[in-house]
């Protein structure tokens, strides 16, 4: 089955019958169970730990603390991206031990691990651990952290500042503001979120004393990254002695990219005890130990001329890092955020300052979209506000400032070069699908029912597949950003693909098989896609940032090219022709202009049974490896439109229409692509209307379970109307751009713009996410009181 | 310890389990039915849903003892050999699953809905599925799957 078809997913067979194997489904003989003792306090000194009662409890095998790990030389969980301050100095990078020995820095911080024969025993015993804490003052929000005299999370980080970074041309931007006819200003908060993949994190450490080999089975999006970081920086284990397996993984959305403390704890403890050690998070534990997302506070100003042309954009953002630097935390509010502030627009001068701060909260890192939703939200709210202030239609204002489709490749003033796009096309498509022009009659009809109806749009651009490695490296990345693939054609012509990317719901086993089926002309059922086991797959960076297809798929494409090239040489020998004369299509190697041909499986057989084979020039076998380092990011873009109805008496916002038109480049499997968009939209709508991670002023997490953190449920959402327009990516062989994050990037500002459109007649000019009934009701009440 | 007998996926089983054992623990830990998933600790996600005497139940909210003498169906017991249950089939056709973690609970809960209401409207489906969280699909295709299964079963 070819590229472009909605092939049903190969992986569904096991998931639909309960035969998926997730980490917690695995049990090893002799396995012990670990429970992590976590800090109940946001900030405290550990004055002492008395493990006496715990050790005496039934079934307990061991209790380990931070001191034990430190004594064993266990290192710190590393941060993967070094950011430089404005003055060229390096960011503050505090230690991040898997178990802390001296000072806990957020509720949920790991203090000790209790290991017992059963999970229930470990849990009971963990409650007996006597930890003596000396309470310290805590800082929670961006505002707290930056106050003069605020308590310090890290003594080495004055002002709680991790870094103070800038991007863009400050002088040129200031000059643009001097010429401006008007300046539009906006303060906004990008609310903190909890990723909440439905499968809680879990990890099993194993140690084989005979060979000295370790195995970690873990809920990871990037098993090789975990192996590299844990092996090289934390446990000091060489790669050939450490295997990391990420089996079926129940969703990630970024939160399972990172190397977490628990992975190091169970692996290390398995070595100490020479028995398998398993840990599975309870959901309430996930809330205080999975990295959170977003949490920005920004001030933005847009300079415009009389015609509404954008002249300059100035942004100041404070980003919350939490208590420690999670694996990719530092890159999110910088290279994945500020670089996107041009959006779809020709704004000639942009300057952005980002101060990242430590607080006594869970670490913040990438969550679906990671930096790009924050940029799109800021920009698209600002453009709507500008339209209102200038009295120009909000769609017209966007059109006036779009980068025109003949201007690509287009270099933005914030370091990116967009390769391709057609923003008018996705805008027009979405407008017509949503019947934008017919909206006023719907508004009137709703008004007759006592409802406030509003419509809002956002036109976003995002960047996927961070690249190239050399550029990222120059900007502080401590990793490569390529992807790998092996194509192994077996002797009878079936194919195994080993990919360094990882599927946790995205459907690689199908999409990648389609690419192989298309290129090699084999049946899709003759292709097996293998991922997630460092012992089997080549070194790869895993899956995040919508990179699997654009980077991993391109590596696969390259490996397939190599297979075909070698196959041609083998076929040339078999057909007694010159290799240059061999053509390959539909699984047949053919001498050009003749009927003479051999099939792929015959060529494969000859390669593995080389009795009559050009053995002098060609090695036996038909297996190729490719690594692909992209030349650039890819730039999906599109237009999202939302329509809402608000009950002015209760403030409840009903989302009555969600219409999107996205350009994600070439589409391999439309069914899977739409599913990815749906999922992203649900998370984006969740951010805009429901979800909010809230700490009280003392640093206790108030939204600590599904009882008080509002996850989107089926009845909170409408069906989605999804349209596509394709401008193929120009620099990867498949022409694909990436689709995993567009929904969560494009839709939040469209929702809020719609809410504000509905409330504008009452004089409401601003509302924060999530636009809960209470907030909307208060905004209406305040506007009425003021008006 | 309590001894209990029940029928699970068409098979009579008896087990000795500690008194406070939850049904989900009995199924997952004692009977090794790993398709019964645990997504939360507050009875909010529905990943653990199974059918007890044909009705969908969050198996983390029920003691194993309460299911004594009942007949329990988990996701493992739905397909007839290689033949998927129509709801499983509809989920596949409509791409109503991504990571698959919520899927067993969703499928079983949706089956119970159609038992009660063979022709549910979209909002009825959405209201019914309120007890089952999915973080991947945005529910759009799950609703489509339930609709299409209902239509197929009616015809
Ligand atoms: S595990 Fe979440 S409801 Fe049962
Ligand atoms: S498919 Fe992943 S949670 Fe529903």
């Amino acid at each position: 089955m070819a590229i472009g078809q909605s092939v049903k997913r190969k992986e569904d067979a096991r998931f639909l019958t309960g035969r998926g194997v997730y980490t917690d489904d695995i049990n090893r003989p002799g396995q012990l169970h670990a429970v992590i003792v976590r800090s109940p306090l946001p900030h405290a000194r550990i004055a002492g730990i008395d493990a006496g009662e715990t050790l005496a409890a039934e079934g307990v095998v061991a209790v380990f603390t931070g001191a034990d790990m430190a004594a064993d030389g266990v290192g710190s969980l590393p941060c993967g991206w070094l950011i430089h301050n404005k003055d060229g100095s390096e960011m503050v990078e505090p230690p991040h031990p898997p178990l802390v020995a001296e000072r806990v820095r957020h509720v949920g911080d790991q203090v000790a691990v209790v290991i017992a024969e059963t999970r229930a025993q470990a849990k009971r015993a963990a409650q007996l651990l006597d930890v003596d804490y000396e309470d310290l003052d805590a800082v929670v929000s961006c505002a707290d952290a930056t106050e003069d005299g605020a308590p310090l999370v890290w003594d080495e980080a004055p002002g709680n500042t991790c870094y103070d970074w800038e991007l863009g041309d400050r002088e040129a931007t200031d000059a643009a503001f001097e010429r401006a006819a008007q300046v539009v200003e906006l303060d906004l908060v990008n609310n903190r979120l909890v990723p909440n993949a439905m499968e809680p994190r879990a990890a099993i450490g194993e140690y084989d004393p005979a060979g000295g080999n370790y195995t970690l089975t873990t809920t990871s999006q990037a098993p090789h990254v975990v192996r590299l970081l844990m092996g090289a920086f934390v446990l000091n284990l060489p790669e050939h002695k450490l295997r990391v397996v990420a089996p079926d993984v129940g969703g990630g959305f970024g939160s399972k990219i990172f190397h977490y403390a628990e992975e190091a704890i169970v692996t290390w403890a398995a070595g100490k005890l020479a028995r398998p050690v398993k840990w599975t998070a309870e959901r309430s534990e996930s809330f205080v130990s999975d990295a959170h997302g977003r949490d920005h506070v920004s001030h933005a100003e847009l300079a415009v001329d009389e015609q509404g042309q954008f002249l300059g954009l100035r942004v100041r953002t404070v980003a919350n890092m939490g208590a420690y630097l999670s694996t990719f935390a530092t890159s999110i509010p910088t290279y994945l955020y500020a670089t996107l502030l041009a959006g779809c627009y020709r704004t000639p001068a942009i300057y952005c300052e980002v101060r990242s701060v430590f607080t006594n909260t869970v670490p913040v890192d990438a969550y679906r979209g990671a930096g790009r939703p924050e940029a799109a939200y800021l920009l698209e709210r600002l453009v709507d506000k500008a339209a209102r202030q200038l009295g120009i239609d909000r769609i017209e204002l966007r059109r006036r400032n779009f980068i025109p489709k003949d201007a690509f490749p287009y270099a933005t003033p914030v370091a990116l070069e967009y390769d391709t796009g057609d923003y008018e096309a996705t805008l027009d498509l979405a407008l017509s699908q949503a019947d934008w022009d017919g909206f006023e009659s719907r508004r009137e009809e709703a008004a007759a029912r006592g409802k406030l109806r509003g419509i809002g749009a956002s036109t976003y651009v995002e960047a996927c597949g961070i690249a190239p490695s050399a550029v990222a490296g120059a900007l502080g990345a401590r990793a490569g950003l390529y992807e790998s693939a092996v194509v192994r054609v077996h002797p009878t012509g079936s194919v195994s693909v080993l990919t360094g990317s990882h599927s946790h719901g995205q459907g690689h086993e199908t999409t990648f098989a389609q690419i192989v089926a298309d290129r090699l002309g084999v049946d899709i059922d003759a292709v097996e896609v293998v991922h997630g086991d460092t012992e089997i797959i080549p070194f790869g960076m895993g899956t995040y940032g919508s990179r699997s297809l654009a980077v991993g798929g391109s590596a696969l494409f390259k490996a397939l090219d190599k297979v075909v090239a070698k196959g041609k040489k083998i076929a040339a020998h078999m057909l007694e022709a010159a290799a240059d004369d061999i053509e390959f299509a539909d699984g047949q190697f053919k001498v050009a202009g003749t009927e003479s041909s051999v099939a792929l499986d015959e060529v494969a057989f000859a390669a593995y049974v080389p009795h009559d084979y050009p053995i002098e020039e060609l090695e036996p076998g038909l297996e190729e490896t490719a690594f692909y380092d992209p030349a650039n990011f890819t730039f999906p873009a599109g237009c999202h439109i939302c329509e809402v109805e608000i009950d002015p008496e209760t403030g409840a916002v009903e989302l009555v229409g969600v219409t999107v038109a996205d350009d994600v480049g070439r589409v391999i499997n439309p069914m899977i692509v739409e599913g990815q968009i749906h999922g992203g939209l649900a998370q984006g709508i969740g951010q805009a209307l429901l979800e909010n991670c809230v700490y009280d002023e003392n640093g206790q997490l108030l939204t600590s379970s599904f009882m008080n953190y509002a996850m989107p449920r089926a009845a909170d959402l409408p069906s989605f109307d999804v349209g596509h327009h394709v401008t193929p990516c120009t620099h990867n062989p498949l022409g694909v751009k990436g689709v995993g994050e567009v929904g969560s990037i494009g839709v939040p500002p469209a929702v809020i713009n719609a809410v504000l459109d509905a409330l504008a007649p009452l004089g409401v000019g601003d509302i924060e996410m999530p636009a809960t009934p209470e907030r909307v009701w208060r905004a209406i009440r305040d506007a009425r009181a003021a008006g | 310890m309590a001894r209990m007998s029940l029928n699970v996926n068409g098979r009579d089983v008896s087990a000795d389990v500690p008194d406070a054992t939850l049904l989900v623990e009995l199924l997952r830990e004692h009977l090794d039915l790993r398709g019964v998933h645990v997504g939360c600790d507050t009875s909010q996600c529905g990943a653990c849903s199974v059918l007890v005497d044909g009705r969908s139940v969050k198996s983390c909210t029920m003691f194993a003892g309460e299911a004594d003498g009942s007949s329990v169906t988990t996701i493992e017991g739905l397909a007839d050999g290689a033949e998927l249950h129509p709801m499983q089939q509809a989920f596949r056709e409509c791409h109503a699953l991504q990571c698959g973690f919520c899927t067993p609970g969703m499928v079983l809960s949706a089956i119970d809905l159609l038992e009660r209401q063979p022709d549910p409207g979209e909002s009825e489906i959405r209201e019914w599925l309120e007890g089952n969280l999915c973080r991947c699909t945005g529910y759009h295709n799950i609703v489509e799957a339930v609709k299409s299964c209902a239509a197929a079963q009616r015809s």
Side-chain angles (χ1 to χ4, degrees):
Chain A
M1 283 260 218
I3 286 176
Q5 294 185 327
S6 289
V7 177
K8 304 296 176 229
R9 296 201 321 171
K10 290 161 71 79
E11 41 276 85
D12 288 355
R14 66 178 187 279
F15 294 139
L16 279 167
T17 52
R19 294 195 167 75
V21 179
Y22 302 87
T23 300
D24 188 52
D25 297 339
I26 297 167
N27 291 303
R28 299 292 184 212
Q31 169 181 294
L32 297 166
H33 296 263
V35 164
I36 310 286
V37 176
R38 298 182 182 278
S39 171
L41 299 172
H43 199 186
R45 189 171 309 286
I46 300 175
I49 298 179
D50 180 354
E53 270 192 78
T54 308
L55 281 164
E58 190 191 352
V60 171
V61 174
V63 176
F64 295 116
T65 63
D68 297 319
M69 289 189 97
D72 214 26
V74 171
S76 175
L77 305 172
C79 175
W81 204 302
L82 174 69
I83 301 294
H84 288 89
N85 293 305
K86 288 174 185 165
D87 65 6
S89 59
E90 294 184 355
M91 68 182 189
V92 177
E93 200 172 356
H96 188 182
L99 290 175
V100 297
E102 286 158 17
R103 205 159 125 189
V104 291
R105 287 184 166 83
H106 66 87
V107 169
D109 211 350
Q110 304 84 222
V111 175
V113 59
V114 177
I115 299 172
E117 296 291 342
T118 72
R119 192 168 172 191
Q121 289 169 337
K123 225 173 137 173
R124 268 194 299 276
Q127 281 159 6
L128 302 173
L129 192 78
D130 189 6
V131 185
D132 188 9
Y133 294 106
E134 285 168 7
D135 218 343
L136 298 169
D137 289 337
V139 291
V140 180
S141 65
C142 291
D144 290 352
T146 51
E147 243 170 53
D148 281 345
L152 292 185
V153 180
W154 293 97
D155 301 339
E156 58 264 51
N160 289 310
T161 301
C162 172
Y163 54 76
D164 184 13
W165 173 89
E166 65 184 341
L167 183 68
D169 187 334
R170 174 176 219 152
E171 277 165 28
T173 308
D174 288 347
F177 276 81
E178 280 176 11
R179 293 198 311 276
Q182 291 210 41
V183 173
V184 184
E185 291 190 63
L186 185 61
D187 284 292
L188 35 75
V189 172
N190 205 287
N191 44 322
R192 186 179 182 113
L193 302 173
V194 184
N196 276 322
M198 289 317 299
E199 178 206 24
R201 284 191 300 115
I204 306 169
E206 291 170 81
Y207 176 62
D208 161 25
N213 296 304
Y214 287 83
T215 301
L216 168 70
T217 305
T218 181
T219 49
S220 177
Q221 301 176 216
H224 269 295
V225 171
V226 172
R227 191 186 69 170
L228 178 65
L229 298 182
M230 185 172 82
F233 297 96
V234 188
L235 298 184
N236 197 19
L237 299 172
E239 278 104 332
H240 69 293
K241 291 291 178 191
L242 175 59
R243 173 184 186 184
V244 177
V245 183
D248 286 328
V249 173
F253 316 112
S255 71
K256 292 173 181 167
I257 307 170
F258 323 122
H259 174 36
Y260 282 99
E262 296 85 356
E263 295 169 325
I265 294 169
V266 295
T267 308
W268 175 80
K272 288 271 135 210
L273 302 170
R275 285 176 70 181
V277 177
K278 178 176 180 175
W279 167 81
T280 301
E282 297 193 337
R283 178 61 59 183
S284 47
E285 211 177 349
S286 308
F287 273 91
V288 294
S289 68
D290 292 1
H292 293 172
R294 319 281 193 257
D295 206 346
H296 285 194
V297 176
S298 297
H299 178 74
E301 300 162 90
L302 183 67
V304 285
D305 71 9
E306 285 85 3
Q307 285 76 45
Q309 293 292 336
F310 303 162
L311 301 176
L313 173 68
R314 209 155 43 194
V315 176
R316 215 168 52 234
T317 293
V318 180
N320 197 335
M321 292 281 104
Y324 302 92
L325 297 180
S326 173
T327 311
F328 289 119
T330 51
S331 63
I332 311 304
T334 48
Y335 293 108
L336 290 176
Y337 164 69
T339 50
L340 271 300
L341 286 171
C344 303
Y345 310 111
R346 272 173 305 159
T347 317
I350 300 176
Y351 176 70
C352 177
E353 296 169 282
V354 179
R355 177 172 167 193
S356 276
V357 295
F358 295 108
T359 61
N360 293 109
T361 64
V362 170
V364 180
D365 204 325
Y367 166 58
R368 201 169 198 166
R372 291 149 290 166
E374 294 90 319
Y377 182 66
L378 179 140
L379 212 47
E380 292 303 300
R381 285 283 317 275
L382 193 58
V383 171
D384 255 35
K385 183 161 185 192
R388 235 171 288 130
Q389 188 173 321
L390 298 166
I392 299 175
D393 175 77
R394 50 203 159 138
I395 301 298
E396 172 57 25
L397 184 62
R398 285 176 167 84
R399 287 193 202 277
R400 273 185 212 173
N401 287 282
F402 272 166
I403 299 161
K405 76 168 181 231
D406 55 12
F408 294 95
Y410 178 85
T412 74
V414 274
L416 296 180
E417 186 176 285
Y418 299 165
D419 63 331
T420 175
D422 185 350
Y423 308 139
E424 293 269 358
T426 41
L427 173 64
D428 288 336
L429 184 59
L431 290 174
S432 81
Q433 276 177 204
D435 185 25
W436 181 278
D437 291 340
F439 173 73
E440 283 311 321
S441 68
R442 298 196 290 282
R443 195 200 296 267
E444 283 162 26
E445 184 277 329
R449 287 182 283 111
K451 295 285 174 63
L452 300 164
R453 193 156 172 134
I455 192 165
S458 83
T459 47
Y460 72 92
V461 65
E462 65 137 328
C464 300
I466 313 174
S469 290
V471 172
L475 297 176
R478 289 163 166 163
L481 292 155
Y482 50 83
E483 199 42 84
S484 61
V486 172
V487 173
R488 181 176 297 156
V489 183
H490 299 290
T492 60
S494 68
V495 182
S496 292
V497 171
L498 318 181
T499 172
S501 66
H502 187 275
S503 178
H504 24 283
Q506 297 90 337
H508 292 46
E509 290 165 44
T510 307
T511 303
F512 281 27
Q514 280 179 262
I515 295 169
V516 174
D518 189 80
R519 185 76 177 101
L520 296 185
V522 296
D523 193 88
I524 192 165
D525 290 326
V527 184
E528 191 78 6
V529 177
V530 180
H531 61 86
D533 185 342
T534 60
E535 204 83 326
I536 300 174
I537 61 170
F539 191 96
M541 300 308 296
T543 285
Y544 46 85
S546 308
R547 71 193 298 278
S548 286
L549 198 55
V551 191
S554 297
L556 171 58
F557 194 90
K558 270 185 71 179
L560 287 165
D561 271 353
K562 291 188 189 178
V563 164
V564 170
K566 184 169 180 183
K568 282 183 178 172
K569 290 185 189 156
I570 302 169
H573 176 85
M574 295 169 79
L575 298 170
E576 296 177 352
D580 289 346
D581 291 338
I582 305 290
E583 293 169 346
F584 180 70
D586 301 324
Q588 297 289 326
F589 293 92
K590 200 169 156 194
V591 182
T594 74
E595 288 306 306
S596 170
S597 70
V598 276
L600 175 71
D601 54 354
E602 296 171 85
V603 167
F605 195 78
Y608 288 98
V609 188
H611 295 167
D612 177 15
Y613 191 81
I615 204 90
E616 309 279 290
E617 301 115 60
L618 220 51
E619 292 170 15
L622 194 52
E623 167 168 332
E624 297 289 348
T625 300
F627 286 78
Y628 176 78
D629 200 82
N632 192 358
F633 286 85
T634 62
F635 299 98
C639 174
H640 291 187
I641 294 176
C642 289
E643 207 161 317
V644 298
E645 265 188 27
I646 297 174
D647 182 338
E649 302 311 314
T650 64
V653 177
E654 190 196 346
L655 197 53
V656 289
V658 177
T659 306
V660 303
D662 298 300
D663 175 1
V664 300
R666 192 156 163 234
V667 171
I668 308 292
N669 184 320
M671 175 190 83
I672 289 177
V673 161
E674 288 196 8
Q676 287 294 309
I677 293 171
H678 294 160
L681 288 172
Q683 288 178 0
I685 293 164
Q687 170 163 32
L689 293 178
L690 298 158
E691 296 178 45
N692 202 17
C693 176
V694 184
Y695 282 90
D696 72 10
E697 69 276 12
N698 302 316
Q700 290 293 334
L701 182 62
L702 297 179
T703 49
S704 55
S705 79
F706 290 150
M707 313 241 272
N708 38 36
Y709 183 88
M711 290 279 281
R713 292 176 184 270
D716 296 320
L717 300 170
S719 286
F720 308 122
D721 182 358
V722 175
H724 304 284
H725 176 84
V726 175
T727 62
C729 171
T730 58
H731 57 78
N732 67 43
L734 288 164
V736 298
K737 294 185 180 176
V739 67
E741 296 163 296
V742 295
S744 59
I745 292 168
V747 91
V751 175
I752 298 300
N753 286 342
V755 169
L756 290 175
D757 182 53
L759 298 180
L762 304 181
V764 175
D766 189 23
I767 198 138
E768 272 178 19
M769 297 193 290
T772 57
E774 184 193 339
R775 280 187 177 161
V776 173
W777 182 85
R778 282 181 193 281
I780 293 172
R781 185 200 55 182
D782 293 350
R784 280 184 175 149
Chain B
M1 280 292 188
R3 178 155 193 88
M4 66 196 56
S5 305
L6 61 171
N7 184 287
V8 179
N9 296 332
R11 216 160 43 90
D12 288 329
V13 294
S14 28
D16 291 307
V17 293
D19 291 337
T21 303
L22 297 169
L23 180 58
V24 65
E25 293 168 325
L26 172 71
L27 297 170
R28 241 186 107 71
E29 312 294 331
H30 297 259
L31 302 178
D32 209 30
L33 294 165
R34 303 271 154 181
V36 186
H37 293 159
V38 176
C40 74
D41 47 9
T42 54
S43 300
Q44 303 258 295
C45 76
C48 63
S49 299
V50 299
L51 299 177
V52 177
D53 295 328
R55 291 286 170 248
S56 63
V57 168
K58 290 176 178 173
S59 62
C60 73
T61 61
M62 188 170 178
F63 288 117
E66 295 176 78
D68 193 17
S70 301
S71 139
V72 174
T73 306
T74 71
I75 193 74
E76 289 89 345
L78 268 189
D80 182 3
E83 178 109 2
L84 293 178
H85 182 282
M87 189 63 78
Q88 290 170 310
Q89 193 58 41
F91 267 60
R92 180 176 148 79
E93 290 297 321
C94 298
H95 185 36
L97 64 155
Q98 290 182 24
C99 78
F101 198 78
C102 71
T103 310
M106 282 288 178
V107 166
L108 291 161
S109 178
I111 287 173
D112 187 19
L113 168 64
L114 295 195
E115 282 293 320
R116 296 168 194 250
Q117 164 57 287
D119 189 12
E122 168 149 349
S123 59
E124 255 176 303
I125 299 172
R126 289 183 178 274
E127 297 290 339
W128 178 264
L129 293 177
E130 279 248 307
N132 292 79
L133 284 174
C134 175
R135 194 55 151 168
C136 296
T137 64
Y139 305 101
H140 179 111
N141 286 343
I142 294 177
V143 173
E144 291 304 309
V146 178
K147 279 193 214 161
S148 99
C149 184
Q153 286 191 337
R154 285 196 310 276
S155 65

